[in-house]
Amino acid sequence: MSLLPEAVRRFAAWCAVLLLAAGVGWVGIRLCSEFRTAVTPVLLALLGTALLGPLYRRLVTAGVQRSLAAGLTCVAVVAVVGGAVYIVVAALIDTGGQITSSLKNAAKSLAQHFGAAGTSLDDLVDNAKELLGKFGATAASNVISGVSVVGEGIAMAVLALLLVFFFLRDSHLVVESIRGVAPGGSADLLEAMARRAFERIEGFMRGTTVIAFIDAVCITVGLLILRVPGAVGLGALVLVGAYIPYLGAFISGAVAVLVALADRGFVIALWVLGVVLAVQVLEGHVLQPMIQSRTVQMHPAVVMVTITAGASVAGILGMLLAVPLTAAAFGVVHELRARYATTS
């Protein structure tokens, strides 16, 4: 190695470091995938704890005992989330038929104008029936597996709620635990890194919730004024999609425009597009800088790549977890950079 130039030796060292980091990351992802039923509730509980931490701390400051405060917080979460799910599901049930009918009309219109020669919706329906006849057994097995997935999801949600309770109640012990397992004199550094990472997750969850609510209210009001069918259900879709930055807003906005195009015509669809774009401009130029600029500082390109990587690893759940976990990683990097700049 001494015969090689200095630049080549440095390049080789950096390649070895990158390969080692990539290998460790790959092994970590594979382990998380194998133990997803245990890892997923922990990650969801961390997000829930970050979102509910301020409420819990206010109860403790008011003199409520820690276990009781954590229990009340979890009960409040169940009530709020349950109520929100009920409202969303009820809205989608009431307006889902209108949305589906509008989307079918849009599909028929597109098929008439852009359909291939000799291809029609009737042909597609006949082909679908033939496929269902051939693969009925596969469909039945998929239904059974789908039921098992739902059961697994419910179990993970219950476990995540229990973990939120323990994370909240024992949050004051986290610092002591981190300092207890820290090797050598790295206790202060590990504590600072953990605090910075959790602050980023906390800021992302609070900011995203506020922005999602404002986006959903503004778009729902606009759709109601334009008398677009299924306005409440589309607003609920916007609320849920806002937790997936950029992609969620694009999908929910595209669905709203398609529904308006099919049911209310081209002019109303343009107005709906204008409403969606206006809300996105409001979010990007006013809400994001005011709410999240101090806690979550990531370039939009990084966010989109992160979402794509999360989707490739864990689907929708990966898209949901990718941004807050990346924000936490950025927080750790910034803490290390600040400390290194101070000591150098």
Side-chain angles (χ1 to χ4, degrees):
M1 289 293 292
S2 61
L3 299 178
L4 296 176
E6 178 68 19
V8 175
R9 292 201 300 270
R10 288 189 176 184
F11 177 74
W14 275 109
C15 288
V17 171
L18 291 176
L19 287 174
L20 178 61
V24 172
W26 184 83
V27 171
I29 292 174
R30 294 297 301 174
L31 289 175
C32 290
S33 177
E34 290 295 327
F35 298 100
R36 62 184 181 277
T37 54
V39 174
T40 301
V42 173
L43 296 177
L44 293 177
L46 284 175
L47 297 184
T49 304
L51 182 62
L52 302 171
L55 175 60
Y56 168 77
R57 289 192 290 268
R58 288 191 178 186
L59 291 175
V60 173
T61 303
V64 182
Q65 197 264 344
R66 290 185 177 274
S67 297
L68 180 59
L72 291 175
T73 304
C74 291
V75 170
V77 169
V78 172
V80 172
V81 173
V85 169
Y86 174 78
I87 293 173
V88 170
V89 171
L92 292 177
I93 290 175
D94 293 339
T95 60
Q98 293 175 313
I99 295 176
T100 304
S101 177
S102 299
L103 291 177
K104 287 182 179 178
N105 292 334
K108 290 180 180 179
S109 178
L110 291 174
Q112 290 175 358
H113 289 86
F114 304 104
T119 302
S120 65
L121 290 177
D122 294 334
D123 296 332
L124 295 177
V125 172
D126 293 337
N127 293 333
K129 290 181 180 179
E130 183 179 353
L131 288 175
L132 286 176
K134 289 182 178 180
F135 302 104
T138 304
S141 63
N142 288 337
V143 170
I144 295 175
S145 63
V147 172
S148 64
V149 168
V150 171
E152 180 179 304
I154 294 175
M156 288 193 296
V158 173
L159 178 58
L161 181 63
L162 293 175
L163 289 176
V164 168
F165 170 80
F166 290 116
F167 287 172
L168 288 173
R169 190 193 66 177
D170 301 329
S171 58
H172 62 291
L173 303 176
V174 173
V175 174
E176 298 177 6
S177 301
I178 292 176
R179 299 185 71 88
V181 299
S186 62
D188 293 337
L189 177 60
L190 285 180
E191 179 183 348
M193 291 167 56
R195 288 185 182 276
R196 182 65 68 92
F198 191 74
E199 286 174 1
R200 289 298 182 91
I201 297 177
E202 201 173 40
F204 171 81
M205 291 301 297
R206 288 203 309 266
T208 302
T209 301
V210 174
I211 292 173
F213 181 76
I214 295 174
D215 286 355
V217 170
C218 292
I219 291 181
T220 301
V221 171
L223 295 178
L224 289 174
I225 293 174
L226 295 171
R227 292 184 294 173
V228 176
V232 178
L234 293 172
L237 182 62
V238 171
L239 179 65
V240 175
Y243 283 92
I244 303 176
Y246 302 107
L247 184 61
F250 172 78
I251 294 175
S252 58
V255 172
V257 172
L258 284 175
V259 171
L261 176 63
D263 200 87
R264 298 282 290 146
F266 182 73
V267 176
I268 298 299
L270 286 179
W271 277 102
V272 171
L273 178 61
V275 170
V276 172
L277 292 178
V279 171
Q280 294 306 313
V281 169
L282 174 67
E283 175 184 336
H285 291 81
V286 179
L287 298 180
Q288 289 280 1
M290 288 179 57
I291 296 174
Q292 288 190 338
S293 62
R294 297 182 179 179
T295 54
V296 182
Q297 299 173 352
M298 290 191 296
H299 194 276
V302 176
V303 175
M304 288 186 284
V305 172
T306 299
I307 293 173
T308 304
S312 64
V313 173
I316 296 178
L317 185 63
M319 296 169 68
L320 176 65
L321 296 173
V323 178
L325 293 181
T326 305
F330 269 65
V332 172
V333 171
H334 288 167
E335 179 65 28
L336 290 174
R337 181 185 300 173
R339 285 180 171 262
Y340 178 78
T342 302
T343 55
S344 61

